[in-house]
Every structure is written in C-alpha cells, then in structure tokens.
Amino acid sequence: MATAKKPAKKAPAKKPAAKKAPAKKPAAVRPAAKKAASRPAAKKPAAKKPAAKAAAKPAAKAAAKAPAAKRKPNAAFMAALKPSPQLAAVIGDKPLPRTEITKKLWEYIKKYNLQDAANRRMINGDDKLKAIFGKPQVSMFEMTKLVSKHITN
C-alpha cells in the first residue's frame, strides 16, 4: 500500500512542474537517491518555460504601453458650452468646456472657503451658488449634476 501512495504523490508533483514556483518545492523535499535522477529532468523544462515567459512579458508590456500613448481626449468633454446667467455670475460668461467649468467652480469654492469644515464632501452655497444648486448645501458629487442644468450647447 505504501508503493501505491508514492505514485499518487508523484503525479501531483509533475503537474506543478509546469508552473515555476511549485516545481522547486517538491524537488527539494525528495530525499531518496532514486529520485535524484528525476530532479534534473524536472528542472530543465522548468528553466525553459520561464525564459519563454520572460520573453513574452516585455512584448506584452510594450503592447500595453503603446495604446496608452495614443489615447486622445473625448471630444464631448472639450466642446465649449454656454453657461446660464446664474452660472455666468460665478465662472464668467464665455463658453467653456465642461472640465473648465468644473475647475472654475472649484476655484470659486476654495476662494470663498465654501467647503463644509466638518464634512469636506459637502459644499455650502452662498447666494450665487444657491441660485445654481437650488438648495443651501450639496455634495461635491451632486454638484456637477446640478451644474449640467445650467449649461447649453
């Protein structure tokens, strides 16, 4: 029965041999002299596969970096939008892209210290912002949604 268990252990040991890390651990645990002959055979295929993987990884990384460099900004974000009179009182009356409108709003909020001291996610509206938001306090995530009602193409 002991001989029946040993082949069962050898079969799982061969499956991890295809993987890099698990193949080395069973090879180091084997103390028998008979199994020493199988150790070099297990190491040779394991040594060849990581070399093939190592060659594939730089190629994959280079392929991943190339599309990231070619990425262009979305034209919808760059389209100039005209602010409503209420919003123009805060950011100016020139047509601006949506991203610039948000930046100008944040400049105004920081300039007049309108972020809530206890909960920094909340914006306390002054008279100009209350006209835009429709309520005295909004979250920073809700702010852009409310501002979108005040911009037109």
mmCIF file of all heavy atoms in Angstrom, residues 5 16 24-25 124 131:
data_model
loop_
_atom_site.group_PDB
_atom_site.id
_atom_site.type_symbol
_atom_site.label_atom_id
_atom_site.label_comp_id
_atom_site.label_asym_id
_atom_site.label_seq_id
_atom_site.Cartn_x
_atom_site.Cartn_y
_atom_site.Cartn_z
ATOM 1 N N LYS A 5 0.738 4.741 -2.684
ATOM 2 C CA LYS A 5 0.643 6.145 -2.303
ATOM 3 C C LYS A 5 1.731 6.979 -2.974
ATOM 4 O O LYS A 5 1.516 8.119 -3.325
ATOM 5 C CB LYS A 5 0.717 6.301 -0.792
ATOM 6 C CG LYS A 5 -0.502 5.792 -0.063
ATOM 7 C CD LYS A 5 -0.383 6.032 1.419
ATOM 8 C CE LYS A 5 -1.581 5.492 2.170
ATOM 9 N NZ LYS A 5 -1.432 5.681 3.606
ATOM 10 N N PRO A 16 2.492 20.504 -10.977
ATOM 11 C CA PRO A 16 3.092 21.798 -10.655
ATOM 12 C C PRO A 16 4.427 22.025 -11.344
ATOM 13 O O PRO A 16 4.913 23.125 -11.385
ATOM 14 C CB PRO A 16 3.260 21.763 -9.145
ATOM 15 C CG PRO A 16 2.245 20.782 -8.665
ATOM 16 C CD PRO A 16 2.156 19.768 -9.764
ATOM 17 N N LYS A 24 9.762 23.631 -7.737
ATOM 18 C CA LYS A 24 11.004 23.623 -6.985
ATOM 19 C C LYS A 24 10.813 23.062 -5.586
ATOM 20 O O LYS A 24 11.661 22.376 -5.063
ATOM 21 C CB LYS A 24 11.588 25.030 -6.913
ATOM 22 C CG LYS A 24 12.053 25.532 -8.258
ATOM 23 C CD LYS A 24 12.603 26.920 -8.154
ATOM 24 C CE LYS A 24 13.011 27.423 -9.533
ATOM 25 N NZ LYS A 24 13.497 28.781 -9.499
ATOM 26 N N LYS A 25 9.677 23.324 -4.950
ATOM 27 C CA LYS A 25 9.444 22.857 -3.582
ATOM 28 C C LYS A 25 9.405 21.336 -3.478
ATOM 29 O O LYS A 25 10.094 20.773 -2.649
ATOM 30 C CB LYS A 25 8.166 23.482 -3.027
ATOM 31 C CG LYS A 25 8.321 24.946 -2.752
ATOM 32 C CD LYS A 25 7.048 25.530 -2.192
ATOM 33 C CE LYS A 25 7.218 27.013 -1.980
ATOM 34 N NZ LYS A 25 5.979 27.621 -1.464
ATOM 35 N N ASN A 124 -21.103 74.269 0.888
ATOM 36 C CA ASN A 124 -22.065 75.225 1.418
ATOM 37 C C ASN A 124 -22.235 76.330 0.382
ATOM 38 O O ASN A 124 -21.275 76.994 0.015
ATOM 39 C CB ASN A 124 -21.577 75.815 2.747
ATOM 40 C CG ASN A 124 -21.423 74.750 3.811
ATOM 41 O OD1 ASN A 124 -22.213 73.820 3.880
ATOM 42 N ND2 ASN A 124 -20.396 74.876 4.641
ATOM 43 N N ALA A 131 -28.409 79.883 -6.181
ATOM 44 C CA ALA A 131 -29.188 80.089 -7.405
ATOM 45 C C ALA A 131 -28.930 78.959 -8.402
ATOM 46 O O ALA A 131 -29.828 78.575 -9.159
ATOM 47 C CB ALA A 131 -28.822 81.434 -8.030
#
